[in-house]
Each structure stands twice: as structure tokens, then as C-alpha cells.
Coordinates of all heavy atoms in Angstrom, one line a residue:
H168 N -0.9 -11.9 6.2 CA -1.7 -10.9 7.0 C -2.1 -9.7 6.1 O -1.2 -9.0 5.7 CB -1.0 -10.4 8.2 CG -0.9 -11.5 9.3 ND1 -2.0 -11.9 10.0 CD2 0.1 -12.2 9.7 CE1 -1.7 -12.9 10.9 NE2 -0.4 -13.1 10.7
S169 N -3.3 -9.5 5.8 CA -3.8 -8.5 4.9 C -3.4 -7.1 5.5 O -3.1 -6.2 4.7 CB -5.3 -8.5 4.6 OG -6.0 -8.3 5.8
V170 N -3.4 -6.9 6.8 CA -3.1 -5.6 7.4 C -1.7 -5.2 7.0 O -1.5 -4.0 6.8 CB -3.4 -5.6 8.9 CG1 -2.3 -6.4 9.6 CG2 -3.5 -4.2 9.4
I171 N -0.7 -6.1 6.9 CA 0.6 -5.7 6.5 C 0.6 -5.1 5.1 O 1.2 -4.0 4.9 CB 1.6 -6.9 6.6 CG1 1.7 -7.4 8.1 CG2 3.0 -6.5 6.1 CD1 2.4 -8.7 8.2
H172 N -0.1 -5.7 4.2 CA -0.1 -5.3 2.8 C -0.9 -3.9 2.8 O -0.5 -3.0 2.0 CB -0.8 -6.3 2.0 CG 0.0 -7.6 1.9 ND1 1.1 -7.7 1.1 CD2 -0.1 -8.7 2.5 CE1 1.6 -8.9 1.2 NE2 0.9 -9.6 2.1
Y173 N -1.9 -3.8 3.6 CA -2.7 -2.5 3.7 C -1.7 -1.4 4.1 O -1.7 -0.3 3.4 CB -3.8 -2.7 4.6 CG -4.5 -1.4 4.9 CD1 -5.3 -0.7 4.0 CD2 -4.3 -0.7 6.2 CE1 -6.0 0.5 4.3 CE2 -4.9 0.5 6.5 CZ -5.8 1.1 5.5 OH -6.4 2.3 5.8
Y174 N -1.0 -1.6 5.1 CA -0.1 -0.5 5.6 C 1.1 -0.2 4.6 O 1.5 0.9 4.4 CB 0.5 -0.8 7.0 CG -0.6 -0.5 8.0 CD1 -1.0 -1.6 8.8 CD2 -1.2 0.7 8.2 CE1 -2.0 -1.3 9.8 CE2 -2.1 1.0 9.1 CZ -2.5 -0.1 9.9 OH -3.5 0.1 10.9
L175 N 1.6 -1.3 3.9 CA 2.5 -1.0 2.8 C 1.9 -0.2 1.7 O 2.6 0.7 1.1 CB 3.1 -2.4 2.3 CG 4.1 -3.1 3.2 CD1 4.4 -4.5 2.7 CD2 5.4 -2.3 3.4
G176 N 0.7 -0.5 1.4 CA 0.0 0.3 0.4 C -0.1 1.8 0.8 O 0.1 2.7 0.0
N177 N -0.4 2.0 2.1 CA -0.5 3.4 2.6 C 0.8 4.1 2.5 O 0.8 5.3 2.1 CB -1.0 3.4 4.1 CG -2.4 3.0 4.2 OD1 -3.2 2.9 3.3 ND2 -2.8 2.7 5.4
L178 N 1.9 3.4 2.8 CA 3.2 4.0 2.7 C 3.5 4.3 1.2 O 4.0 5.4 0.9 CB 4.3 3.1 3.3 CG 4.3 3.0 4.8 CD1 5.3 1.9 5.2 CD2 4.6 4.3 5.5
A179 N 3.2 3.4 0.3 CA 3.4 3.7 -1.1 C 2.6 4.9 -1.6 O 3.1 5.7 -2.4 CB 3.1 2.5 -1.9
C180 N 1.3 5.0 -1.1 CA 0.5 6.2 -1.4 C 1.2 7.5 -1.0 O 1.1 8.5 -1.7 CB -0.9 6.0 -0.8 SG -2.0 5.1 -1.8
L181 N 1.7 7.5 0.2 CA 2.4 8.7 0.7 C 3.5 9.1 -0.2 O 3.8 10.3 -0.3 CB 2.9 8.4 2.2 CG 1.8 8.3 3.2 CD1 2.4 7.9 4.6 CD2 1.0 9.7 3.4
R182 N 4.2 8.1 -0.8 CA 5.3 8.4 -1.7 C 4.8 8.7 -3.1 O 5.6 8.9 -4.0 CB 6.2 7.2 -1.8 CG 7.0 7.0 -0.5 CD 8.1 5.9 -0.7 NE 7.7 4.7 -1.4 CZ 7.2 3.6 -0.9 NH1 7.2 3.5 0.5 NH2 6.9 2.6 -1.6
K183 N 3.4 8.6 -3.3 CA 2.8 8.7 -4.6 C 3.2 7.7 -5.6 O 3.3 7.9 -6.8 CB 3.0 10.2 -5.2 CG 2.4 11.2 -4.3 CD 2.5 12.6 -5.0 CE 2.0 13.7 -4.1 NZ 0.9 13.6 -3.3
D184 N 3.6 6.5 -5.1 CA 3.9 5.3 -5.9 C 2.6 4.5 -6.0 O 2.4 3.5 -5.3 CB 5.0 4.6 -5.2 CG 5.5 3.3 -6.0 OD1 4.8 3.0 -7.0 OD2 6.4 2.6 -5.5
Y185 N 1.7 4.9 -6.9 CA 0.4 4.3 -6.9 C 0.4 2.9 -7.5 O -0.4 2.1 -7.1 CB -0.5 5.2 -7.7 CG -0.7 6.6 -7.1 CD1 -0.4 7.7 -7.8 CD2 -1.0 6.7 -5.7 CE1 -0.6 9.0 -7.2 CE2 -1.2 7.9 -5.1 CZ -0.9 9.1 -5.8 OH -1.0 10.3 -5.2
A186 N 1.4 2.6 -8.3 CA 1.5 1.2 -8.8 C 1.8 0.2 -7.7 O 1.2 -0.8 -7.6 CB 2.5 1.1 -9.9
S187 N 2.8 0.6 -6.8 CA 3.1 -0.2 -5.7 C 1.9 -0.3 -4.7 O 1.7 -1.3 -4.1 CB 4.3 0.3 -5.0 OG 5.5 0.1 -5.8
A188 N 1.3 0.9 -4.5 CA 0.1 0.9 -3.6 C -1.0 0.0 -4.1 O -1.5 -0.8 -3.3 CB -0.4 2.3 -3.5
R189 N -1.3 0.0 -5.4 CA -2.3 -0.9 -6.0 C -1.9 -2.3 -5.7 O -2.8 -3.1 -5.3 CB -2.4 -0.6 -7.4 CG -3.4 -1.5 -8.1 CD -3.5 -1.3 -9.6 NE -4.5 -2.2 -10.1 CZ -5.0 -2.1 -11.3 NH1 -4.7 -1.1 -12.1 NH2 -5.9 -3.0 -11.8
A190 N -0.7 -2.7 -6.0 CA -0.3 -4.1 -5.8 C -0.4 -4.5 -4.3 O -0.9 -5.6 -4.1 CB 1.2 -4.3 -6.2
A191 N -0.1 -3.6 -3.4 CA -0.2 -4.0 -2.0 C -1.7 -4.1 -1.6 O -2.0 -5.1 -0.9 CB 0.5 -2.9 -1.1
Y192 N -2.5 -3.2 -2.0 CA -3.9 -3.3 -1.7 C -4.6 -4.5 -2.3 O -5.4 -5.1 -1.7 CB -4.7 -2.0 -2.1 CG -4.3 -0.8 -1.3 CD1 -4.1 0.4 -2.0 CD2 -4.0 -0.8 0.1 CE1 -3.8 1.6 -1.3 CE2 -3.6 0.4 0.7 CZ -3.5 1.5 0.0 OH -3.2 2.7 0.7
E193 N -4.2 -4.8 -3.6 CA -4.7 -6.0 -4.2 C -4.4 -7.2 -3.4 O -5.2 -8.1 -3.3 CB -4.3 -6.1 -5.7 CG -4.9 -5.1 -6.6 CD -4.4 -5.1 -8.0 OE1 -3.2 -5.5 -8.2 OE2 -5.1 -4.7 -8.9

């Protein structure tokens, strides 16, 4: 489910963990 990865990316962004956010959004 892409939406789960999208929300994990959002959480990573909030933590300023942009590498994890990128991986989740990808």
C-alpha cells in the first residue's frame, strides 16, 4: 500500500530524516 509508505515518509520528514523520507516516498 503506497499510502503507508507515504505516511512513513511524512514522519521521517518531521524528524528531518530526509534519506529515510526519500526511500519511503520512492
Side-chain angles (χ1 to χ4, degrees):
H168 290 288
S169 66
V170 71
I171 297 170
H172 296 280
Y173 169 74
Y174 285 119
L175 285 170
N177 288 349
L178 290 173
C180 275
L181 290 172
R182 292 189 314 265
K183 298 188 186 319
D184 180 358
Y185 299 125
S187 294
R189 177 181 179 167
Y192 294 140
E193 285 175 337

